[in-house]
Amino acid sequence: MEWKPEQEGLRQILTLLKESQSPDTATQRAVQQKLEELNKYPDFNNYLIFVLTKLVTEEEPTRSLSGLILKNNVKAHYNSFLPEVAEFIKRECLSAVGDPSPLIRATVGIIITTIASKGELTSWPELLPALCQMLDSQDYNVCEGAFGALQKICEDTAELLDSDALNRPLNVLIPKFLQFFRHSSPKIRCHAIACVNYFIMGRTQALMLHIDSFIENLFHLAADEDPDVRKNVCHALVLLLEVRLDRLIPHLPNIIEYMLIRTQDPEEGVALEACEFWLSLAEQNVCREVLGPRLPLLLPVLVRGMRYSEMDVILLRGDRDDDADDAEPDRESDIRPRFHKPRSHTIKHNAGAGDSNMSGGGDSEDEEEGGADADDGSLSDWNLRKCSAAALDVLANVFNADLLPVLFPILKETLFHEDWVIKESGILALGAVADGCVVGMVPHLPDLVPYLVCCLGERKALVRAITCWTLSRYSHWIVSQSHDLYLRPVMTELLKRVLDNNKRVQEAACSAFATLEEEACTELVPYLGHILQTLVYAFSKYQHKNLLILYDAIGTLADSVGHHLNKPEYINLLMPPLITKWNVLKDEDKDLFPLLECLSSVATALQSGFLPYCEPVFRRCVSLIEQTLNQNIANSQSPEQFEAPDKDFMIVALDLLSGLAEGLDGHIDQLVHNSNLMQLLYQCMRDPMPEVRQSSFALLGDLTKACFQHVHLYIPDFLPILGMNLNPELISVCNNATWAIGEISIKLGPETSKYIPLVLSHLVDIINRPNTPKTLLENTAITIGRLGYVCPHDVAPVLHQFVRQWCTSLRNIRDNDEKDSAFRGICQMIQVNPGGVVPDFMFFCDAVASWSHPKDDLKEMFTKILHGFKNQVGEENWRRFTDQFPVQLSARLSAMCGI
């Protein structure tokens, strides 16, 4: 029996579909409720597909909406559809693939791919053959509809299509798609390329067999009159460059010529896709060789692509000279979500200034370089301007100074142009090459930096904004020169821009100033008064969005100048506005994140200066953690009643508590004593979310240093959890767990012995793993050393398994307490098991030489080991051994240990 709808049921559903298009929220809610009820009728979905495919008397948007509701039902409940309902929907879909309306065809295609991606490709064996057959239909609508559906299936289930489970349909489909590259309809050509493109990245065998025919067909379409076809051709070439460079090499000169033309395509979508090609090419080893000769053609194209379009200028109100807009409140939609970066314990290196702090610094292995991303605020995230700037940035890193002879004439022309749009693109280009060409730029910076300082006063806000960014890209050089000539004028003018009347300029200046702070560190101390007055004044001036960036600038300032901030006059300037904000914000307000991050840096810097503010801050952090944990329990017990919490509140609160513990040290003792923080911390350490565990382990380490008596009771519970988190796949979690184990062992002393079996083998595995990030290696080495310091007899037997890696990991870090305790540990282990170090003794000598000023008793330990070794092997062998040393190493050892 063929299913037929009842008129009354149909009428109800049509009424519902009409109502659901109403803008009124109450109506919308009623519709949602009615839909939930109707879902209880098994044939409700039959009605929905009937309206979509058969009810041609209704308007198309109504029919399409019926299909989209069906799609959501398929997504949510397909596995509980009755078999006859599922069969009816599949049959109807296949019969409507060629509907005369493009909207209905597209909706049918969406339902087909949703059913297919529910794992149903295997139980709908006729689907692919049917669609494949429809491709050959003489009816355009059928061919286009089938292609539309296939394109969606290729996008959603590319991997499954290339598996034995379905008998490898791609062996048929890919040659079939390639035939349609030369179809008369641009829409069909477009579908065909898009379908094949989904299989490039996976190096699908069926495509690799036809790779030459694919490339030949792409070349045939290179000058297609349809922009979407050109866009797909460019996209295919970008992907092939990454996956099958070997096949493109013979054609590269022609492809480069082609991409040069396409990067100037009148359609921005095509130009953007083509511009991605330069980003990809820069990552290939052949880049220098194949692109070098074409730079004189490419660079002018890229710099032209960096100009704001006429549309951008209108959207950004860039043409007005009076561009004060900071009295207008921000639209909430303009404020992007911020991501909190949880604390990660890092170690200072011998490199000198510019390194991250001990604790709370970034883990450089995890961080992407900022690159040429001068933010355009409200413009769409990725556009031709940004892509062109990013391409110039990566090419500057490939060609370095060789890029400059080509770039300088372009800069000369653009930087001094009277059209502000062109001048602005020149300033952006100058910033884009800062990273890769810095050495070649140095001779020109004494002229360029003062020129940029002048541009900070330009009439057009967009020029002032980009100048802030470009100056920040050269901040390393600015800080290293005479302060009177460069740092002071740059800082003075940037601070004026922090108080600009245009919000975009405020934002750019604040970000640029934060970058300058990171480079300058304590060089800023003489100017602290002026800097703080400006930043505090900005509090009263800024709207919502820029306040969030201001917090970052203040936090970075605190990280950069540290305890120099702890002066009554600075504290009285800075703390009142921060605490006012703190009191105004509610516990569920996400603006707490940046404010808590900022306070965490400020508390660490002010140390005892933060005492008057610490109690309310401490209590609120503990309360935020408790609320989040309680909400999480409620949600896991009855998810339909309670929403899952945003765990970022808990992570940020844990990190601020770490800042308090680090800054206030023993003063935090009473606060911890009067709270349930340790019980909460135990729950956080077992949270399934890695970032929560990462921050809890950082806090555990800081509390161990500040008030171990509160941690001590929980050691039997805490250490097994730390041992289970020594998994280097989660770098930052593992890093903080390792650091916390080391801190605990120092306080626990010989009692640590019973816990060593839980952790030692993991730590030895991590230190011997290839490609372990530097920060994790250093923390692992320090913790192994500390375990050996408190329990030499437990760790020394495996000395030979780690001593070489241990020595190479720690040779570059600065003298500090962590390094001191770790080296005492290695010396004690060598005394227990001298044989363990013999094969790698030169590495030990090298690590000893990395000390600048070891404490006297540590120096004595080194001397004793070196002399003991020398006496053991005899004068002759010792001389042969030390002859292999680099000259510098011999000199340092003889100065330190008289050997």
Side-chain angles (χ1 to χ4, degrees):
M1 271 292 289
E2 184 60 31
W3 178 88
K4 290 272 188 299
E6 290 176 13
Q7 286 313 307
E8 177 51 28
L10 206 51
R11 197 188 56 75
Q12 269 191 24
I13 283 174
L14 286 171
T15 310
L16 199 61
L17 289 169
K18 297 262 177 7
E19 283 175 354
S20 73
Q21 294 169 54
S22 145
D24 176 51
T25 43
T27 315
Q28 287 281 353
R29 264 203 300 279
V31 168
Q32 273 316 109
Q33 216 167 345
K34 192 86 172 84
L35 283 174
E36 288 306 314
E37 284 164 30
L38 287 171
N39 261 323
K40 296 183 181 124
Y41 295 98
D43 64 350
F44 171 49
N45 292 304
N46 293 26
Y47 280 94
L48 290 174
I49 190 80
F50 182 84
V51 173
L52 172 68
T53 58
K54 293 280 194 284
L55 214 53
V56 288
T57 49
E58 285 302 316
E59 290 180 348
E60 283 179 12
T62 305
R63 290 170 59 198
S64 173
L65 183 64
S66 179
L68 293 174
I69 293 171
L70 173 60
K71 184 244 346 185
N72 290 336
N73 285 348
V74 168
K75 217 170 176 165
H77 322 288
Y78 186 73
N79 298 336
S80 53
F81 281 18
L82 293 174
E84 57 271 25
V85 173
E87 282 311 311
F88 181 72
I89 293 171
K90 288 175 176 177
R91 258 202 321 281
E92 284 301 308
C93 280
L94 281 177
S95 70
V97 162
D99 193 280
S101 147
L103 178 63
I104 303 299
R105 290 201 298 273
T107 312
V108 168
I110 289 172
I111 297 171
I112 289 176
T113 188
T114 310
I115 294 174
S117 60
K118 294 300 276 185
E120 284 296 306
L121 267 179
T122 37
S123 55
W124 192 359
E126 63 275 20
L127 172 64
L128 292 174
L131 291 175
C132 204
Q133 200 178 348
M134 290 182 204
L135 293 181
D136 293 325
S137 164
Q138 292 310 300
D139 178 343
Y140 167 80
N141 292 336
V142 174
C143 175
E144 197 279 326
F147 242 132
L150 279 166
Q151 185 180 332
K152 294 181 182 86
I153 293 170
C154 292
E155 180 178 8
D156 293 342
T157 46
E159 273 145 36
L160 182 62
L161 288 172
D162 190 28
S163 67
D164 284 332
L166 300 171
N167 240 334
R168 302 215 169 260
L170 290 182
N171 295 341
V172 177
L173 286 175
I174 283 184
K176 187 95 184 157
F177 294 153
L178 291 173
Q179 287 170 15
F180 284 88
F181 275 40
R182 307 193 178 209
H183 194 276
S184 57
S185 149
K187 190 92 203 267
I188 303 283
R189 295 198 297 275
C190 214
H191 280 313
I193 310 173
C195 283
V196 180
N197 283 357
Y198 290 120
F199 301 100
I200 299 176
M201 286 312 281
R203 300 168 190 265
T204 303
Q205 187 57 41
L207 174 57
M208 295 302 137
L209 289 172
H210 297 280
I211 196 82
D212 292 327
S213 146
F214 175 42
I215 291 171
E216 187 192 328
N217 274 304
L218 285 174
F219 290 163
H220 176 75
L221 295 177
D224 201 282
E225 77 277 4
D226 183 83
D228 285 330
V229 173
R230 295 199 301 274
K231 192 165 146 182
N232 280 352
V233 169
C234 290
H235 185 53
L237 290 169
V238 171
L239 294 173
L240 285 168
L241 190 61
E242 288 179 36
V243 174
R244 288 307 305 259
L245 179 64
D246 58 321
R247 278 290 183 257
L248 292 187
I249 289 270
H251 311 289
L252 262 183
N254 293 338
I255 294 175
I256 287 171
E257 295 305 314
Y258 173 66
M259 288 297 190
L260 271 167
I261 297 163
R262 285 288 80 89
T263 308
Q264 305 168 73
D265 200 284
E267 292 284 334
E268 177 165 340
V270 181
L272 175 57
E273 202 54 73
C275 194
E276 299 273 354
F277 179 80
W278 313 114
L279 285 175
S280 254
L281 185 57
E283 289 175 13
Q284 309 298 332
N285 295 333
V286 296
C287 179
R288 241 191 126 88
E289 178 194 336
V290 296
L291 201 53
R294 314 313 285 155
L295 283 181
L297 288 172
L298 174 60
L299 294 195
V301 172
L302 291 179
V303 177
R304 255 201 313 278
M306 290 185 209
R307 289 180 199 170
Y308 279 120
S309 67
E310 285 173 32
M311 197 62 208
D312 296 338
V313 173
I314 294 165
L315 286 173
L316 297 171
R317 308 192 231 177
D319 244 350
R320 305 193 328 203
D321 282 340
D322 164 34
D323 44 33
D325 63 358
D326 65 343
E328 300 168 24
D330 291 327
R331 294 197 309 261
E332 289 306 302
S333 58
D334 288 343
I335 297 171
R336 297 184 182 181
R338 287 182 77 269
F339 298 103
H340 171 66
K341 193 166 174 27
R343 280 170 88 91
S344 190
H345 182 81
T346 57
I347 296 166
K348 289 192 166 144
H349 292 100
N350 279 324
D355 273 313
S356 56
N357 297 349
M358 278 288 284
S359 172
D363 186 344
S364 55
E365 277 83 7
D366 298 349
E367 279 178 42
E368 284 292 296
E369 274 304 301
D373 181 20
D375 197 278
D376 303 334
S378 57
L379 285 183
S380 76
D381 279 341
W382 190 240
N383 52 31
L384 182 61
R385 166 183 166 87
K386 287 192 175 180
C387 191
S388 305
L392 185 58
D393 182 2
V394 292
L395 291 172
N397 278 293
V398 172
F399 289 96
N400 309 112
D402 296 345
L403 192 82
L404 294 177
V406 183
L407 186 67
F408 278 143
I410 302 171
L411 286 178
K412 250 194 194 101
E413 187 189 337
T414 50
L415 286 175
F416 304 102
H417 206 285
E418 60 259 24
D419 180 342
W420 71 267
V421 175
I422 296 175
K423 177 174 184 167
E424 195 275 347
S425 69
I427 297 173
L428 169 56
L430 184 59
V433 298
D435 192 34
C437 300
V438 68
V439 178
M441 290 302 291
V442 164
H444 307 278
L445 291 177
D447 297 325
L448 281 170
V449 169
Y451 169 73
L452 289 170
V453 171
C454 288
C455 294
L456 285 175
E458 277 277 339
R459 293 219 317 276
K460 299 284 187 234
L462 291 172
V463 178
R464 299 199 297 278
I466 200 63
T467 306
C468 293
W469 178 77
T470 292
L471 272 169
S472 75
R473 299 268 291 171
Y474 290 99
S475 49
H476 186 77
W477 180 85
I478 291 167
V479 169
S480 68
Q481 304 299 306
S482 142
H483 286 201
D484 286 342
L485 281 178
Y486 304 106
L487 179 62
R488 189 177 300 158
V490 166
M491 192 171 64
T492 311
E493 288 305 308
L494 260 186
L495 287 171
K496 284 185 194 159
R497 296 289 67 87
V498 166
L499 301 179
D500 200 277
N501 287 332
N502 178 274
K503 289 195 275 198
R504 179 165 281 100
V505 180
Q506 292 171 0
E507 178 182 0
C510 230
S511 299
F513 196 72
T515 307
L516 187 68
E517 288 170 341
E518 283 178 337
E519 282 293 346
C521 290
T522 48
E523 306 275 344
L524 294 178
V525 172
Y527 315 107
L528 263 176
H530 178 44
I531 294 171
L532 283 169
Q533 279 165 342
T534 306
L535 296 180
V536 168
Y537 184 66
F539 258 110
S540 57
K541 189 174 169 63
Y542 278 13
Q543 296 288 351
H544 185 179
K545 180 184 178 190
N546 286 347
L547 264 182
L548 306 183
I549 297 159
L550 180 62
Y551 294 140
D552 183 51
I554 291 172
T556 307
L557 179 67
D559 292 339
S560 303
V561 300
H563 64 90
H564 297 285
L565 203 55
N566 188 5
K567 286 202 175 139
E569 62 270 32
Y570 297 157
I571 296 173
N572 295 336
L573 260 177
L574 181 58
M575 288 310 294
L578 286 175
I579 293 297
T580 309
K581 290 287 176 203
W582 167 265
N583 291 331
V584 172
L585 291 176
K586 299 196 169 49
D587 276 355
E588 57 280 358
D589 192 326
K590 293 215 166 135
D591 283 5
L592 270 177
F593 299 169
L595 177 57
L596 285 159
E597 286 172 19
C598 171
L599 280 171
S600 175
S601 296
V602 170
T604 308
L606 290 185
Q607 298 173 349
S608 59
F610 198 79
L611 272 175
Y613 308 96
C614 69
E615 190 171 344
V617 172
F618 180 91
R619 278 213 307 270
R620 185 167 188 184
C621 286
V622 172
S623 145
L624 282 169
I625 295 168
E626 191 157 20
Q627 287 171 43
T628 311
L629 287 169
N630 289 342
Q631 200 183 334
N632 197 38
I633 292 166
N635 164 259
S636 57
Q637 286 169 355
S638 37
E640 58 293 327
Q641 211 177 335
F642 297 100
E643 273 187 34
D646 180 343
K647 288 189 179 173
D648 270 354
F649 284 103
M650 178 155 79
I651 296 168
V652 180
L654 288 163
D655 286 348
L656 175 46
L657 288 172
S658 283
L660 289 179
E662 193 185 339
L664 300 173
D665 205 36
H667 294 297
I668 201 168
D669 174 31
Q670 236 6 70
L671 296 171
V672 177
H673 179 68
N674 296 331
S675 74
N676 59 342
L677 176 60
M678 298 314 296
Q679 293 90 318
L680 298 174
L681 185 57
Y682 176 63
Q683 286 173 266
C684 295
M685 286 172 62
R686 290 158 55 228
D687 196 275
M689 186 175 175
E691 290 79 3
V692 176
R693 300 201 302 280
Q694 176 184 337
S695 291
S696 358
F697 300 150
L699 176 56
L700 176 58
D702 284 317
L703 289 173
T704 299
K705 290 170 78 168
C707 53
F708 184 63
Q709 65 278 27
H710 299 299
V711 177
H712 198 168
L713 301 170
Y714 290 88
I715 294 296
D717 299 318
F718 285 173
L719 264 164
I721 299 174
L722 290 170
M724 284 171 354
N725 278 280
L726 296 177
N727 164 19
E729 296 302 319
L730 295 170
I731 295 170
S732 299
V733 178
C734 181
N735 182 55
N736 288 2
T738 303
W739 174 68
I741 291 166
E743 289 297 340
I744 288 170
S745 65
I746 290 289
K747 297 283 190 184
L748 201 54
E751 251 188 87
T752 311
S753 177
K754 58 176 169 230
Y755 302 108
I756 284 182
L758 295 175
V759 299
L760 183 60
S761 60
H762 297 301
L763 294 170
V764 173
D765 286 346
I766 293 167
I767 205 169
N768 285 303
R769 254 175 72 111
N771 303 329
T772 301
K774 195 170 69 187
T775 302
L776 180 53
L777 272 182
E778 290 163 355
N779 272 319
T780 305
I782 281 183
T783 294
I784 292 175
R786 290 176 147 191
L787 292 172
Y789 176 54
V790 294
C791 303
H793 291 277
D794 298 87
V795 187
V798 293
L799 183 60
H800 61 283
Q801 291 177 14
F802 62 75
V803 68
R804 175 186 285 203
Q805 283 73 10
W806 190 96
C807 292
T808 47
S809 307
L810 294 186
R811 64 187 299 274
N812 289 325
I813 67 170
R814 292 188 209 170
D815 295 6
N816 64 29
D817 292 346
E818 295 191 11
K819 182 171 175 176
D820 180 274
S821 53
F823 270 83
R824 287 169 193 276
I826 205 89
C827 290
Q828 293 194 5
M829 289 187 274
I830 290 172
Q831 278 157 5
V832 173
N833 174 16
V837 76
V838 170
D840 300 310
F841 197 68
M842 189 188 297
F843 290 90
F844 175 70
C845 296
D846 179 55
V848 166
S850 74
W851 277 87
S852 307
H853 305 288
K855 291 183 181 154
D856 288 344
D857 59 335
L858 180 60
K859 189 156 61 169
E860 205 170 304
M861 291 165 103
F862 294 156
T863 309
K864 195 168 151 192
I865 290 173
L866 290 174
H867 281 280
F869 192 85
K870 179 178 174 179
N871 297 338
Q872 193 72 38
V873 298
E875 196 70 46
E876 181 61 27
N877 286 333
W878 178 255
R879 205 191 67 247
R880 270 212 296 274
F881 175 63
T882 51
D883 281 349
Q884 303 164 38
F885 285 10
V887 179
Q888 212 179 351
L889 176 56
S890 302
R892 291 198 68 146
L893 286 179
S894 88
M896 191 189 300
C897 305
I899 196 156

